[in-house]
Every structure is written in C-alpha cells, then in structure tokens.
Amino acid sequence: MRQKLVAGNWKMNLTYPEALALVGEIASLAGESGAANAPTVVICPPFPFLHGVGQQLPQASNFHLGAQNCHQKESGAFTGEVSAKMLASVGCEYVILGHSERRQYFREDDELLGQKLKAALAAGLKPIFCVGESLETREADETFSYIGKQLTDGLFHLSNEEFAQVVIAYEPIWAIGTGRTATSAQAQEVHAFIREQIARAYDAQAALDTTILYGGSANAQNAKELFSQPDVDGGLIGGAALKAADFTTIIRSF
Ligand code: 13P
C-alpha cells in the first residue's frame, strides 16, 4: 500500500561505533514519532552494521532496516557477496536496488537487476528500486523516455503481486550529492509520469498504491516543499541521513 516513507541510504560511510552512535541519536530524537500518522522510516547502513543497527532501531513500529544491495543468487560460491536471504535473516525488510551508483560503478544492468529483484522478493524483502536520468539526458529533453525505459525494462516484468511489494525512488543523477536538488515541480512532473506508466503497465489502482520517493540532495530545508507534492510520497536520503537532527527534521516534514 502507498505510504509516507523516508529511507536513509548511508552508502559507504561511517565506522561501526559511529553507526551505532548515529542510530542512537536518531532513536532519541525520533523515537517518540511512533504516532499513527508517522511515516515509515527505513535505515540502510552498510552490510557489516546491519544487525547491530537493527538492534538499536527505535522501538516504534514505523522504523525498519534496509540494505543497500544484494546478490542475485540465494547462496553458493560467490566470495564476498551477500544474499537477500542473509539480509532477511538479520532483520532486513527492504533492499535498495538499481541505485545509479551501482548502475554506473558496478555495471548493473536491467537483466542483472531483474535477477536481483526476483531474489529480493523471494526472500520476502521489499525492493526500493531506483530510476533517474543524467544531466546529459535531461538537457537533451529525453528524461521521460529514459525513465520510461528504465521502468519497462527494469521493473514492469514483475507480476502484479510482485510489483505490489516495490517502492520506487526517482533519483536524478545530477541531483545526487551535488547540492543541486530537483525543484518540487521537476520532481512532481517525473513522479506523475512514473505513476502514469504504472497505470499503463498494471492498472490504475496499482498506480495509486505505489510509494514513489524522491532522492537527490533532499535535506532538512527542502523536504517539506518536496513532500508537499501530490505524487511525492517521501524521500531516499543520502548525505542528510548521516546527521541525526537533519534526518529527524526530514522525517517530520510531511
Ligand atoms: P544525497 O541525498 O546525498 O544527494 O544522495 C541521494 C541518494 O543517492 C540516496 O540514495
């Protein structure tokens, strides 16, 4: 079901003691936000911190643990890799897939992402599936066709039941880590487009039910404006998720 959701993607940052201190601070600042209208909050630390951070999450039932990636196979001789089943076994409920950094630096393509999506869903994880265009694509006026293709090739092969488990994150690459946020109008326009494409691929109800997050230099100052857009259901937060006070402000920005 569509929900208000804020996910913190910690990327490859912090040491274990720093990670525990950060989640402790978030817990003490936001721990009481378990009110009925509080958004779902997903904390996505690096793999080695997952279990420990999960133990320290605020008791409020709206807090959940997520991972930043998973391997496509369930188990086996894949030295250095982590399966979706392993993630579920340490308390993960979500996994980020298709982040532009993984597409770019680790050459993850639609075919591989398709396998990862299936593996995540089979393990009972909810994928947070990222799409987003480069600056070059935006300036060439090809944003919609590019995102449309990412959705069709990357996501719309899922069955209705599988798709219902997916959260989509629109993260324009030019806005990630640059301090250059999309305007709320730019975000809304792409989110509305994504919803339209879901309605075409599945049906109108699926489109209404899908949670669509914005990511890319979202912060404590601009979250309220972004989240006020009708098709923006929350955020996938990078840098600002590493500061407890800022992250808590973002959680309260609906
Ligand atoms: P920033 O919020 O640091 O721009 O990162 C966004 C992001 O990539 C979240 O996945």
Side-chain angles (χ1 to χ4, degrees):
M1 271 311 268
R2 184 163 169 186
Q3 52 189 336
K4 301 286 173 212
L5 193 155
V6 175
N9 176 7
W10 290 4
K11 306 192 179 182
M12 194 174 76
N13 290 297
L14 309 175
T15 62
Y16 188 51
E18 287 167 348
L20 292 182
L22 176 58
V23 71
E25 240 187 296
I26 293 170
S28 69
L29 288 172
E32 74 278 13
S33 61
N37 59 354
T40 298
V41 180
V42 184
I43 308 272
C44 305
F47 289 143
F49 308 162
L50 280 167
H51 182 68
V53 166
Q55 298 288 304
Q56 303 290 319
L57 281 185
Q59 290 308 305
S61 59
N62 59 316
F63 278 81
H64 304 270
L65 192 64
Q68 299 172 21
N69 180 31
C70 70
H71 193 261
Q72 62 275 23
K73 291 282 199 306
E74 191 180 298
S75 64
F78 301 100
T79 301
E81 292 296 327
V82 176
S83 74
K85 195 175 167 186
M86 291 173 182
L87 296 174
S89 77
V90 293
C92 274
E93 294 174 76
Y94 290 81
V95 61
I96 299 170
L97 290 176
H99 194 283
S100 58
E101 288 152 16
R102 294 218 56 92
R103 292 178 191 260
Q104 184 180 348
Y105 306 135
F106 303 95
R107 304 258 174 268
E108 295 197 0
D109 58 15
D110 292 324
E111 190 189 338
L112 177 65
L113 290 172
Q115 294 168 9
K116 290 191 175 202
L117 277 166
K118 293 279 184 188
L121 291 163
L125 299 179
K126 296 182 183 67
I128 300 176
F129 188 80
C130 306
V131 296
E133 81 287 0
S134 66
L135 189 59
E136 200 185 3
T137 300
R138 175 159 285 265
E139 285 177 345
D141 243 340
E142 288 166 0
T143 298
F144 293 118
S145 58
Y146 187 82
I147 307 266
K149 189 165 160 48
Q150 282 188 317
L151 292 169
T152 307
D153 296 352
L155 202 53
F156 291 163
H157 55 84
L158 296 178
S159 70
N160 292 52
E161 293 69 31
E162 289 171 333
F163 183 76
Q165 300 302 311
V166 175
V167 171
I168 295 176
Y170 168 55
E171 296 207 312
I173 296 168
W174 49 270
I176 296 176
T178 58
R180 184 179 168 191
T181 323
T183 64
S184 55
Q186 284 172 323
Q188 167 56 28
E189 184 180 48
V190 176
H191 283 226
F193 171 78
I194 292 171
R195 229 178 270 290
E196 255 171 54
Q197 301 310 301
I198 299 168
R200 279 169 194 252
Y202 295 93
D203 55 46
Q205 193 58 46
L208 284 175
D209 285 348
T210 303
T211 303
I212 308 178
L213 311 179
Y214 168 79
S217 298
N219 59 38
Q221 286 73 44
N222 59 32
K224 209 180 188 75
E225 166 71 18
L226 286 162
F227 296 174
S228 70
Q229 299 302 307
D231 288 300
V232 178
D233 301 313
L236 179 53
I237 315 298
L242 297 169
K243 298 176 200 136
D246 288 7
F247 189 63
T248 309
T249 302
I250 294 169
I251 295 171
R252 297 199 174 121
S253 294
F254 291 95

